[in-house]
Amino acid sequence: MKTIRATLLAIALITATAAPAHAVTDYDLAFHWAPVHYQDTDSSDYDADYLSTVDFDGDWNTLNNWENQTQLSKLTGAAYYSVVETSTHWFLVYSFFHPRDWDDQPDPSGTTTHENDMEGVLLTVRKDSGFGRLEAAVTVAHSDFYSYVPAGSTFQNGAETIDGTLLLQNGRPTTRQEAKGHGLYRWDGNNFPGGDGVVYYPAATGEVPSGGNDRNVNYRLVDTLAANGMWARRNNSETYASFGTFRGDNGKDNAANTAWGWDDHDDGAIYRGFMATDPALLVDKYFSNKGSFSLTYTRNAFR
């Protein structure tokens, strides 16, 4: 009897060891790491700072988004995501869209405002087990990128200087976005400038904020790489003026970019769009002391 039990135990152990780990889907991975997002708002036009999707108004014509931004009931919280991977890491990009980059002062010369606005964050997650381990973040604020690491990360300064500690809230990274211009940074733990803002949390469905100081609003995740999504439409002239740049005719023309159009103005040979299309190279250059770190993609739909 002992021999039979020992044999059965050995078989069970071999089977458990040989069984492949459950693979997480891109959506599950993106949802697990989706930021708690602190969106500052301006009291002169609260809803102009609410999150939405590019087609929030029911079409992909980006020349009418400025005008349709006033359709408040359609401004349901959302963020786009994409996932690419190497043998060592997942690279997740979250893109936050607003119909307007605006100002509370007139802009007759079209220099301080523009139709459509998209800025975001790249998360680097080590594939050690389950949903992995978050090691770094790079955010987009206009034409500058900012680097952060969570407590416990081994990553150190590389070609770029780390700008601060990435704070976590219930295991999620936290991000903040400016009112009006929507530059995106890590959340520093302080209250919103002026005291009012919207706090967005990832959920299955998005919500419209109840006002400019709503501290508990859901946002949903939308796959950048989905069929008929943003990337699939990358050559569609209804949506884009050029590769990675939205059409827009309010304020400065054609001034908003997708993740594959983001560019830091002074980071050397990290070229336009690399945050989405070649994030491993960007992270490799931005940080040092990364440990095992592959630059070879096992999956990258942008290439």
Side-chain angles (χ1 to χ4, degrees):
M1 183 64 70
K2 290 182 179 179
T3 302
I4 295 173
R5 281 201 298 266
T7 301
L8 291 174
L9 178 59
I11 292 172
L13 289 172
I14 292 170
T15 302
T17 302
H22 174 68
V24 296
T25 67
D26 284 353
Y27 176 84
D28 289 342
L29 186 68
F31 187 85
H32 180 85
W33 292 113
V36 176
H37 190 67
Y38 288 76
Q39 174 63 64
D40 190 22
T41 58
D42 189 279
S43 58
S44 65
D45 192 359
Y46 279 136
D47 54 84
D49 291 315
Y50 294 171
L51 298 178
S52 62
T53 58
V54 176
D55 59 339
F56 73 97
D57 53 356
D59 63 52
W60 285 92
N61 176 10
T62 52
L63 291 179
N64 63 20
N65 283 345
W66 181 285
E67 292 78 10
N68 291 341
Q69 184 272 323
T70 56
Q71 299 176 18
L72 181 60
S73 64
K74 297 181 179 180
L75 300 178
T76 56
Y80 292 91
Y81 74 92
S82 63
V83 181
V84 304
E85 63 179 308
T86 65
S87 61
T88 60
H89 287 82
W90 287 299
F91 300 93
L92 294 83
V93 172
Y94 297 87
S95 304
F96 298 91
F97 178 80
H98 299 80
R100 299 180 181 182
D101 180 306
W102 64 286
D103 201 336
D104 53 6
Q105 302 298 318
D107 181 29
S109 60
T111 58
T112 62
T113 66
H114 56 80
E115 188 166 26
N116 305 304
D117 195 19
M118 180 169 278
E119 308 196 31
V121 58
L122 163 66
L123 301 183
T124 300
V125 177
R126 181 171 295 278
K127 296 164 59 176
D128 54 3
S129 63
F131 291 106
R133 174 163 43 94
L134 180 62
E135 294 190 313
V138 180
T139 70
V140 179
H142 316 301
S143 60
D144 288 294
F145 293 173
Y146 292 85
S147 307
Y148 307 100
V149 294
S153 174
T154 65
F155 282 29
Q156 297 176 356
N157 292 339
E160 298 291 317
T161 301
I162 293 172
D163 295 292
T165 300
L166 183 68
L167 302 181
L168 304 185
Q169 186 170 324
N170 294 324
R172 295 185 181 279
T174 54
T175 50
R176 70 174 178 89
Q177 231 172 334
E178 298 169 326
K180 299 184 288 190
H182 307 136
L184 197 147
Y185 310 86
R186 61 94 191 245
W187 180 57
D188 61 6
N190 295 317
N191 198 6
F192 294 104
D196 50 3
V198 174
V199 184
Y200 285 96
Y201 295 88
T205 58
E207 298 176 319
V208 178
S210 62
N213 197 32
D214 191 339
R215 300 303 177 95
N216 192 355
V217 181
N218 290 343
Y219 76 88
R220 67 186 178 96
L221 293 174
V222 180
D223 187 356
T224 297
L225 299 168
N228 200 38
M230 279 209 304
W231 175 249
R233 297 179 60 87
R234 61 191 177 277
N235 296 318
N236 190 301
S237 60
E238 180 186 25
T239 303
Y240 300 107
S242 58
F243 186 73
T245 299
F246 292 113
R247 294 173 73 213
D249 60 1
N250 294 83
K252 185 178 180 180
D253 289 348
N254 309 327
N257 295 310
T258 64
W260 57 95
W262 291 338
D263 192 17
D264 183 285
H265 74 284
D266 63 356
D267 64 354
I270 302 301
Y271 298 113
R272 182 178 188 262
F274 273 22
M275 188 174 285
T277 64
D278 201 354
L281 180 60
L282 184 150
V283 172
D284 186 54
K285 298 298 185 185
Y286 270 44
F287 300 96
S288 64
N289 199 41
K290 299 180 295 297
S292 175
F293 190 88
S294 173
L295 291 170
T296 302
Y297 294 102
T298 57
R299 188 168 56 100
N300 185 345
F302 290 106
R303 306 184 77 180

